[in-house]
Amino acid sequence: MIFPEDFVWGAATASYQIEGAVKEDGRGQSIWDTFSHTPGNVANDDTGDMACDHYHRFREDVGLMRELRLAAYRFSVAWPRVQPDGAGPINPRGLAFYDRLVDELLAADISPYITLYHWDLPQALEDRGGWTDRDTAHRFADYAQAVYDRLGDRVEHWATLNEPWVAAFLGYGNGVHAPGRRDPASALRSAHHLLLGHGLAARRLRTSGARSIMLVVNSSPVLTPAQVNDPWAVPGDADAAVVERVHALLTRQFLDPALYGTYPEEVLEAAARNGGTGHVQDGDLALINAPIDLVGVNYYNPCVVEAGPGLPADAAWPGSEGVRFAQADAPTTAMGWPIVPDGLSRLLVRLSRDYPQVGLMVTENGAAFDDVVSDGRVHDAERVAYLDGHLREVHRAIEAGADLRGYLVWSLLDNFEWAEGYRRRFGIVHVDYATQTRTPKDSALWYRDVITGNGF
Ligand code: IFM
């Protein structure tokens, strides 16, 4: 099972999850600093204050990437490091960190893939309304420009946003993520302003000369319980209707505006029932529909639903009235997420048919398990099986015609898993948080061999 010659193999991380050094070199406060320091928001009241101390250990971490033969490393830039208040003066010491990191990666022959926004909004912007405020989209474009001006001479691959669905609907909808607001209308407004920020930033990047621009979404195939184990199962009319509605709320809400300049009816209806559509101004959709090259797909598990007549909308899913979110009949990871590898090929094939104008890249895929170090090794056989199963489905999607450019495992390192804190380990490299010792798990060594052979 050999992958295309130019297939890109790599790993991904995000700033707040690994960097630590939250008060260093002029970094401003982010919404995740505020949120994690508010007791009760994060398991064990963990915070990203230290995380993997990557800010000081990035050279060691790049060394690990080189040993694992990664060709690409996707990381995010912390907006409050670069622009402490989210507007106004740029902090050169913050940018200098990413400058050093990029140079270290290039010296190791690893391509940097930069994500400009992976959820650490400057707190000063949140104090002015955060993503519910249209102005935040314009501030994001200015910040993107500042990062590009410093790194664009060496970095080819740029992603604007990571998982805007999560930022909007967990951040402003059910409040499980920062900033912890719970209001469906705010979540829908935020989703639109995130998209507007994407469009404005993508245009600035393109005009400045960026060669490869990407939007990264968390996407899942939406399936009925019967479809999880039987791809040929045909749902009844009521189930089929909720499947398509949830697909529109999860995936089309972001990719239709970005790639076609339109909103699905289901999203407009949800907005009409939750505060109205006044935040969508004339010309916005044309701005959002900026030319991009790739869609990044973060896949972990399918979304399983069936008709649930009379049920109210879930707090994270405005527009989901009458939908029952169901369990998949499948084994689960330590997150309780069902393991359904062929969900990935089903998803990739559908996305490549619905959006043929862009290439696809799996920008995150991986799993948390309860790993233990023994005699300097971590025998994470379950993670190896998870990655093996999913990579076979990536290959299957390519054979079915999907224009798939690469695969980035989530994550390089165990790290701060948002509301779950440090108790969930997604890394292929184990991190002992007390000593900051890194130990490549069996999955890292296995992945290195897959990369070396460009397949199995
Ligand atoms: O850790 C997160 C990441 O920040 C975004 N995608 C999903 C991962 C696992 O939950």
Side-chain angles (χ1 to χ4, degrees):
M1 198 176 278
I2 299 299
F3 286 74
E5 223 169 83
D6 51 357
F7 194 74
V8 177
W9 297 98
T13 64
S15 45
Y16 191 72
Q17 294 182 273
I18 65 164
E19 286 179 358
V22 292
K23 297 225 163 90
E24 254 170 87
D25 292 334
R27 177 186 178 278
Q29 190 172 329
S30 81
I31 55 174
W32 269 97
D33 296 299
T34 313
F35 187 78
S36 66
H37 277 271
T38 308
N41 281 341
V42 174
N44 199 31
D45 286 339
D46 290 338
T47 72
D49 288 3
M50 173 66 88
C52 307
D53 197 26
H54 173 76
Y55 192 78
H56 299 114
R57 294 168 194 264
F58 70 94
R59 290 187 206 283
E60 179 193 346
D61 292 337
V62 173
L64 273 170
M65 296 177 214
R66 192 180 41 219
E67 278 167 33
L68 297 179
R69 313 234 169 108
L70 304 188
Y73 173 52
R74 172 176 176 245
F75 62 94
S76 74
V77 171
W79 185 349
R81 252 188 223 299
V82 170
Q83 204 178 21
D85 290 332
I90 296 298
N91 171 28
R93 288 183 296 163
L95 271 178
F97 167 68
Y98 299 105
D99 205 71
R100 295 193 291 276
L101 174 59
V102 163
D103 284 346
E104 191 75 11
L105 288 165
L106 293 174
D109 213 14
I110 298 168
S111 294
Y113 279 65
I114 287 186
T115 302
L116 288 160
Y117 186 71
H118 198 125
W119 311 346
D120 37 6
L121 185 74
Q123 181 62 42
L125 290 186
E126 178 57 28
D127 295 342
R128 297 188 344 222
W131 286 108
T132 66
D133 181 7
R134 187 177 174 86
D135 188 56
T136 299
H138 292 279
R139 302 287 66 78
F140 176 64
D142 288 349
Y143 147 73
Q145 181 78 62
V147 180
Y148 188 87
D149 288 346
R150 179 72 178 253
L151 304 176
D153 57 338
R154 282 154 293 154
V155 176
E156 202 173 314
H157 304 280
W158 294 85
T160 53
L161 308 175
N162 179 71
E163 302 184 3
W165 185 90
V166 174
F169 293 97
L170 302 192
Y172 295 81
N174 71 2
V176 167
H177 278 198
R181 292 210 240 165
R182 297 192 176 93
D183 171 40
S186 296
L188 286 154
R189 276 177 78 85
S190 297
H192 180 70
H193 294 147
L194 280 152
L195 278 166
L196 185 60
H198 156 76
L200 294 168
R203 283 167 196 280
R204 300 270 285 268
L205 294 174
R206 182 71 76 202
T207 311
S208 307
R211 299 248 294 278
S212 165
I213 302 174
M214 165 157 73
L215 172 64
V216 176
V217 294
N218 53 301
S219 189
S220 296
V222 183
L223 308 173
T224 60
Q227 286 177 311
V228 172
N229 295 309
D230 176 6
W232 302 107
V234 178
D237 289 350
D239 285 346
V242 300
V243 161
E244 281 311 309
R245 177 144 51 99
V246 172
H247 178 70
L249 297 174
L250 175 62
T251 299
R252 292 184 53 214
Q253 171 157 207
F254 297 94
L255 295 187
D256 283 15
L259 296 170
Y260 292 114
T262 56
Y263 265 124
E265 274 308 310
E266 292 88 339
V267 171
L268 296 173
E269 279 165 21
R273 281 201 299 277
N274 291 281
T277 53
H279 54 278
V280 183
Q281 297 188 3
D282 283 353
D284 282 3
L285 281 159
L287 284 172
I288 293 167
N289 182 210
I292 58 172
D293 307 282
L294 288 174
V295 164
V297 180
N298 295 352
Y299 172 77
Y300 292 88
N301 51 260
C303 178
V304 185
V305 299
E306 58 194 347
L311 285 179
D314 182 281
W317 295 87
S320 69
E321 289 84 353
V323 177
R324 174 176 293 113
F325 289 89
Q327 294 299 320
D329 177 16
T332 55
T333 69
M335 295 288 281
W337 296 349
I339 303 174
V340 184
D342 76 354
L344 180 53
S345 52
R346 294 195 234 180
L347 174 67
L348 293 170
V349 168
R350 174 158 188 185
L351 294 179
S352 67
R353 285 188 190 146
D354 289 355
Y355 308 102
Q357 64 273 56
V358 279
L360 301 175
M361 182 162 202
V362 175
T363 35
E364 287 183 25
N365 175 240
F369 292 106
D370 296 328
D371 304 315
V372 281
V373 185
S374 90
D375 292 337
R377 299 287 300 269
V378 179
H379 299 302
D380 57 338
E382 289 169 296
R383 184 173 293 99
V384 171
Y386 181 100
L387 297 176
D388 179 292
H390 285 76
L391 275 174
R392 285 172 197 278
E393 295 300 325
V394 170
H395 193 270
R396 193 207 290 215
I398 294 171
E399 292 205 311
D403 178 9
L404 208 72
R405 311 284 176 83
Y407 176 91
L408 310 180
V409 71
W410 184 269
S411 176
L412 176 71
L413 302 171
D414 290 338
N415 59 48
F416 176 79
E417 177 51 28
W418 308 114
E420 296 293 325
Y422 296 103
R423 68 181 179 179
R424 300 288 176 245
R425 293 180 175 273
F426 275 89
I428 55 172
V429 174
H430 181 275
V431 176
D432 177 332
Y433 296 111
T435 62
Q436 291 296 343
T437 304
R438 275 69 164 142
T439 306
K441 304 178 189 176
D442 286 357
S443 56
L445 308 177
W446 170 88
Y447 190 46
R448 178 197 59 198
D449 292 346
V450 172
I451 295 173
T452 308
N454 195 30
F456 300 94

